[in-house]
Amino acid sequence: TLKNMTDSCILENYFRVRPLSKVSSLANLISPSKNGAVRRFGQTIQSMSLRSDSKSPGLSRKASKAVGPTPTKRRNSTLWSETLDVHQKSTFSAKEIKRQEAIYELYRGEQDLIEDLQLARKAYHDPMLKLSIMTEEELAHIFGDLDAYIPLHEDLLRKLTEGTGPNGTVGQIGQIVTDWLPGLNAYKDYCSNQLAAKALLDQKKQDRRVQDFLQRCLESPFSRKLDLWSFLDIPRSRLVKYPLLLREILRHTPPDHPDVANLERAITIIQGVLSDINMRKGESECQYYIDKLEYLDDKQRDPLIDSCKTLLCHGELRNKSGSKLHVFLFSELLVLTRPVTRNERSCFQVYRQPIPVRDLNVEDLQDGEIRMGGSFRGAFTNGEKAKNVFRVSSMDPSHGQSHTLQVNDVYHKQQWLNCLRSAMAQHQGAPLRPQGEAVRAKRRSSTISNSIYDEDTDENCPHVSGANLGPRTHSKTRLDKKFRGSLKRKETEV
């Protein structure tokens, strides 16, 4: 069977040090997987120089040169209209062709998703289990119930196929997706576990055996130069595309078409599903970071921490002495911490006393208003005039706390100020009224409440987290691109 052939091939490649050209032969046994909907984590890594089994270097070079590495697999990007002959194509209006193209894109996306879910199991999960690279419990934590979602998407494919007429068109798709979309609620647990799964995977990558296996997979053509996490992130990437796909179908559907009402209803349904998944995901990720807090004194543990269900933003800032702090703004508390490692487990040691948001005071400091110390030179020069600084303090006299915090640039400073003021306004019951640049910055901030993680981080950029918290941040340039895309789309992201 395909599975047995795949497993035996991967096992053989793992235990024998083989030329890259031979390792690449995996592509002949495994179906290719999904395309550009997956992003960010796949890195293009240059080919490694692997030793040959042959004792003769000359023979090895000759064989390698003769065979050559297998090219990276690519997805078939055929359009619906390209499946028609000239006569068939002439029987459809331009608008109907665009409508069918949009439906076909939905159909092909489901095919690709199913292939990728199967690939994640056959090429990664099963071999790592057989080779004892990871335990069954660890793999279950990282991969979740990916197999369980395959029948769900196969069901949509079957319904779309049944709804396709003899001329290759789907007459009405609205009722099909309206009936099917509620099933996507099954992804609640998977998406909620993503942050913990990614953390465990990153931890396991410190193991040389895991590194070696994943590197070989990455350089094999079936991976399309996408790493394991890219495949595990495919379901989330697919979920956020459904509103866009349905709107595109609706856009090319005539106003008097019977599909219009059902498509509008389907868009409402998927937005509700994504909202529920986002809420569940946000609560899970909030709890994930709460569990990582380490208290030096029991008095530091404010009872309000048990009431926190949302992590509004978090990220690294510097205090007045120049020390790095990781700051968390929960719905009820502002918590300053120092990142530490305990028994190879990363956690956050609480610094000073958490400040309740209801007692929080925020002051925007002008550039050059204060001096920041923290260096040996600064001890003699009285520090340097600081830019991009703000101050948080407690209005409760018993706390007597005040923290001057610095970020890298005005852009990220404004993000923090917006998050803090918004949280305070909710507790005080007063509407937030930013002015001037603050208005524009708030508009930008509102679009990143659902941003997804990236690995190239700016330590001072807050991880803004509406329903969607990320353990990584975006650079300013990439945030701008995401903002512009979000303003155009306005879809709910997971």
Side-chain angles (χ1 to χ4, degrees), residues 222-261:
F222 71 82
S223 73
R224 304 192 317 279
K225 297 188 181 296
L226 299 175
D227 67 3
L228 173 57
W229 184 252
S230 294
F231 287 100
L232 296 177
D233 192 48
I234 284 173
R236 181 208 57 79
S237 300
R238 182 63 179 171
L239 287 174
V240 301
K241 276 197 165 186
Y242 286 118
L244 299 174
L245 291 168
L246 293 175
R247 287 194 187 102
E248 186 67 10
I249 296 172
L250 179 61
R251 189 164 73 92
H252 298 297
T253 300
D256 58 346
H257 196 287
D259 243 0
V260 171

Side-chain angles (χ1 to χ4, degrees), residues 289-290 292-295 300-302 304-305 308 311 313-315 317 325-338 348-357 360 392 401 403 405 416 420:
Y289 282 105
I290 289 176
K292 282 185 169 289
L293 296 180
E294 180 184 88
Y295 301 92
Q300 283 184 311
R301 196 181 194 287
D302 193 303
L304 284 174
I305 197 68
C308 295
L311 178 55
C313 65
H314 69 103
L317 295 88
L325 298 176
H326 199 103
V327 181
F328 295 91
L329 177 60
F330 295 99
S331 54
E332 307 293 332
L333 284 173
L334 178 70
V335 184
L336 283 69
T337 71
R338 298 182 189 275
F348 300 92
Q349 188 179 83
V350 176
Y351 174 74
R352 305 283 294 274
Q353 188 71 21
I355 302 176
V357 174
L360 190 61
V392 293
Q401 285 193 78
H403 304 279
L405 302 172
W416 272 104
L420 290 163

Side-chain angles (χ1 to χ4, degrees), residues 21-74:
S21 59
K22 294 185 179 181
V23 175
S24 299
S25 63
L26 279 171
N28 298 325
L29 300 176
I30 303 177
S31 300
S33 55
K34 194 162 188 308
N35 71 358
V38 185
R39 49 191 173 164
R40 278 184 299 282
F41 298 107
Q43 298 177 357
T44 301
I45 297 181
Q46 294 179 350
S47 299
M48 289 194 305
S49 179
L50 302 177
R51 292 180 301 168
S52 171
D53 290 332
S54 173
K55 295 182 180 179
S56 170
L59 290 176
S60 174
R61 286 194 297 269
K62 183 178 180 181
S64 179
K65 183 177 180 181
V67 178
T70 306
T72 301
K73 287 286 184 178
R74 295 185 181 275

Side-chain angles (χ1 to χ4, degrees), residues 89-128:
K89 192 172 181 179
S90 64
T91 61
F92 300 107
S93 65
K95 191 172 185 66
E96 180 60 21
I97 290 177
K98 289 181 179 179
R99 171 178 156 82
Q100 294 302 321
E101 294 284 16
I103 295 174
Y104 189 64
E105 183 179 355
L106 173 64
Y107 178 86
R108 286 298 302 274
E110 294 300 298
Q111 286 183 321
D112 293 344
L113 174 61
I114 292 170
E115 287 182 3
D116 285 339
L117 295 180
Q118 293 172 339
L119 177 65
R121 170 67 65 175
K122 293 176 182 177
Y124 291 95
H125 178 281
D126 293 349
M128 284 195 285

Side-chain angles (χ1 to χ4, degrees), residues 53-310:
D53 290 332
S54 173
K55 295 182 180 179
S56 170
L59 290 176
S60 174
R61 286 194 297 269
K62 183 178 180 181
S64 179
K65 183 177 180 181
V67 178
T70 306
T72 301
K73 287 286 184 178
R74 295 185 181 275
R75 279 279 160 78
N76 184 357
S77 57
T78 304
L79 300 175
W80 177 80
S81 57
E82 294 174 347
T83 65
L84 307 176
D85 58 37
V86 178
H87 174 71
Q88 286 178 309
K89 192 172 181 179
S90 64
T91 61
F92 300 107
S93 65
K95 191 172 185 66
E96 180 60 21
I97 290 177
K98 289 181 179 179
R99 171 178 156 82
Q100 294 302 321
E101 294 284 16
I103 295 174
Y104 189 64
E105 183 179 355
L106 173 64
Y107 178 86
R108 286 298 302 274
E110 294 300 298
Q111 286 183 321
D112 293 344
L113 174 61
I114 292 170
E115 287 182 3
D116 285 339
L117 295 180
Q118 293 172 339
L119 177 65
R121 170 67 65 175
K122 293 176 182 177
Y124 291 95
H125 178 281
D126 293 349
M128 284 195 285
L129 182 60
K130 280 192 174 184
L131 296 168
S132 299
I133 294 177
M134 291 193 201
T135 66
E136 188 171 0
E137 182 180 356
E138 289 170 338
L139 289 169
H141 191 68
I142 292 172
F143 284 81
D145 296 325
L146 279 182
D147 284 353
Y149 306 123
I150 293 177
L152 173 65
H153 296 281
E154 287 177 334
D155 181 49
L156 179 57
L157 276 184
R158 180 181 56 80
K159 290 178 178 178
L160 290 175
T161 301
E162 292 174 352
T164 303
N167 62 353
T169 65
V170 178
Q172 296 187 32
I173 190 177
Q175 191 62 52
I176 294 175
V177 292
T178 298
D179 295 339
W180 178 81
L181 286 172
L184 293 177
N185 279 300
Y187 277 107
K188 283 182 180 179
D189 290 339
Y190 184 82
C191 292
S192 298
N193 185 57
Q194 276 198 304
L195 182 60
K198 183 64 169 64
L200 177 58
L201 179 59
D202 289 341
Q203 178 185 337
K204 295 301 295 182
K205 284 180 180 178
Q206 305 305 312
D207 186 328
R208 289 295 297 274
R209 297 182 72 213
V210 176
Q211 286 181 16
D212 181 65
F213 178 84
L214 294 180
Q215 180 70 18
R216 290 171 183 264
C217 288
L218 184 63
E219 296 198 3
S220 296
F222 71 82
S223 73
R224 304 192 317 279
K225 297 188 181 296
L226 299 175
D227 67 3
L228 173 57
W229 184 252
S230 294
F231 287 100
L232 296 177
D233 192 48
I234 284 173
R236 181 208 57 79
S237 300
R238 182 63 179 171
L239 287 174
V240 301
K241 276 197 165 186
Y242 286 118
L244 299 174
L245 291 168
L246 293 175
R247 287 194 187 102
E248 186 67 10
I249 296 172
L250 179 61
R251 189 164 73 92
H252 298 297
T253 300
D256 58 346
H257 196 287
D259 243 0
V260 171
N262 281 329
L263 284 172
E264 291 174 342
R265 185 176 169 222
I267 292 172
T268 301
I269 291 174
I270 186 58
Q271 288 175 332
V273 169
L274 295 184
S275 178
D276 291 343
I277 293 176
N278 275 336
M279 183 177 296
R280 175 80 170 271
K281 186 173 185 286
E283 291 176 355
S284 175
E285 292 171 349
C286 177
Q287 190 60 48
Y288 173 84
Y289 282 105
I290 289 176
D291 292 340
K292 282 185 169 289
L293 296 180
E294 180 184 88
Y295 301 92
L296 294 175
D297 190 322
D298 289 341
K299 294 180 180 179
Q300 283 184 311
R301 196 181 194 287
D302 193 303
L304 284 174
I305 197 68
D306 297 323
S307 305
C308 295
K309 300 299 181 183
T310 306

